[in-house]
Amino acid sequence: MAFGLEGISLITIIQSVLLVISALLIIIAAIGILRMDNDMPNVVYARIHILGMVDVAGIIAFIALGQPLFALIYLFLAPLLAHALANGYYHGEDDYNNPVLNPDLLIEDPYNLNKDSDSDSESDDSSENISNLEETSNLEENSDSEEASDLEEASDLKEENNESAESGEENLKDGEGDDND
Amino acid sequence: MVMEILLISECFLIIALVVFLLASMRIISYRSVSMGLIGTSSLTLAITLVLVSVGTMWNIGFFKDIALALLLLGIVGTIAYAAILRRA
């Protein structure tokens, strides 16, 4: 065999290559876990995801070391472990995603759970809005024929407002004078 | 030469596992329970691999038995504690 590998069986070479690959995967995963920022959201799920790569590297290493029983056991138990950890974290400690632990996440009410408490005010507001919309639509329909009369009414309203404002100022002045007395 | 290449690769694996043991201990040192569980499960896997590789290198038989017991009981215990964390 070439490259100075005379006398080495192919199985030994495959074992060595698999062990080196698993070692590289484990080192990369260790660096990735340590470099991850703790303030990042969902960092626990990210770490569980990285440890999935370590699980695969461990299975490869078990096979390369000649222990298929270990590899088979871990092949079945590793997904259960990762899922149990993620599930336990979500229901136990996850304040970022779980609305049970963090009620501020319920911004909207998709199932109308608070329907009874806000129903009266919402119904009043909605009826007022509907009546306003009807009035505006009627005004728009009759706007062309009543433009002249509207302008006259507007000028009358302005005059009345000016008169009422002047009378109000006079009343205020009188009131201030009474207070000073 | 036949044993050397396998021995070198096993030593390389053990060095990588030692690095990973340190990383998993760093994870265990975080305050939350779930991070402790993640670090414990990874520590269990790393110790199991170290035991199997050392037992293979020096032909120590009972290391494999210890590794098998550690693998089974460690993972089952971690799953059980995660179930308790879910209900708590």
Side-chain angles (χ1 to χ4, degrees):
Chain A
M1 190 174 285
F3 304 111
L5 298 175
E6 291 86 3
I8 302 173
S9 65
L10 187 63
I11 300 297
T12 305
I13 295 171
I14 292 171
Q15 281 181 337
S16 303
V17 170
L18 288 178
L19 287 176
V20 171
I21 288 171
S22 61
L24 288 175
L25 286 175
I26 288 169
I27 288 175
I28 291 168
I31 293 170
I33 285 174
L34 290 178
R35 278 176 59 87
M36 195 170 288
D37 189 8
N38 290 324
D39 297 329
M40 189 175 70
N42 298 323
V43 68
V44 175
Y45 302 115
R47 284 194 169 120
I48 292 171
H49 192 188
I50 289 174
L51 290 176
M53 195 174 75
V54 180
D55 295 336
V56 174
I59 290 167
I60 292 170
F62 281 134
I63 292 170
L65 290 170
Q67 303 293 332
L69 180 64
F70 284 79
L72 192 66
I73 290 171
Y74 202 70
L75 179 68
F76 283 107
L77 286 181
L80 292 176
L81 179 66
H83 190 271
L85 286 173
N87 198 13
Y89 174 70
Y90 178 77
H91 290 283
E93 292 183 338
D94 194 359
D95 294 334
Y96 187 76
N97 295 312
N98 194 355
V100 176
L101 297 177
N102 189 6
D104 295 333
L105 292 174
L106 289 172
I107 297 170
E108 295 179 356
D109 192 8
Y111 301 108
N112 288 326
L113 295 174
N114 298 321
K115 186 179 179 180
D116 296 333
S117 62
D118 298 334
S119 60
D120 297 330
S121 61
E122 287 179 355
S123 62
D124 294 335
D125 295 335
S126 60
S127 61
E128 288 178 356
N129 291 326
I130 291 168
S131 61
N132 289 327
L133 286 172
E134 289 176 351
E135 288 176 357
T136 53
S137 61
N138 292 326
L139 286 172
E140 287 176 355
E141 288 176 356
N142 299 323
S143 62
D144 295 333
S145 62
E146 295 178 352
E147 279 184 355
S149 61
D150 289 337
L151 289 172
E152 291 175 355
E153 289 178 357
S155 61
D156 295 335
L157 285 173
K158 281 182 182 177
E159 290 175 358
E160 290 177 357
N161 288 328
N162 291 326
E163 290 175 356
S164 62
E166 289 174 356
S167 62
E169 287 176 355
E170 290 175 355
N171 291 328
L172 284 173
K173 287 177 182 177
D174 296 336
E176 287 175 356
D178 294 336
D179 292 334
N180 292 325
D181 295 336
Chain B
M1 185 66 186
V2 174
M3 289 302 293
E4 282 181 1
I5 186 170
L6 194 58
L7 194 65
I8 291 168
S9 58
E10 285 179 352
C11 289
F12 188 54
L13 177 67
I14 289 172
I15 292 168
L17 287 171
V18 168
V19 174
F20 187 70
L21 279 172
L22 296 174
S24 59
M25 283 183 182
R26 180 71 186 90
I27 294 171
I28 290 171
S29 67
Y30 291 132
R31 287 185 177 180
S32 65
V33 178
S34 58
M35 295 301 287
L37 283 176
I38 292 168
T40 308
S41 63
S42 60
L43 191 78
T44 303
L45 174 64
I47 291 174
T48 305
L49 274 171
V50 168
L51 284 175
V52 171
S53 59
V54 171
T56 305
M57 285 169 69
W58 283 287
N59 289 322
I60 304 171
F62 68 92
F63 271 26
K64 295 174 186 174
D65 301 333
I66 295 170
L68 183 62
L70 186 66
L71 187 71
L72 281 174
L73 297 178
I75 292 175
V76 171
T78 307
I79 291 172
Y81 202 93
I84 291 170
L85 178 66
R86 187 195 185 285
R87 291 175 186 172

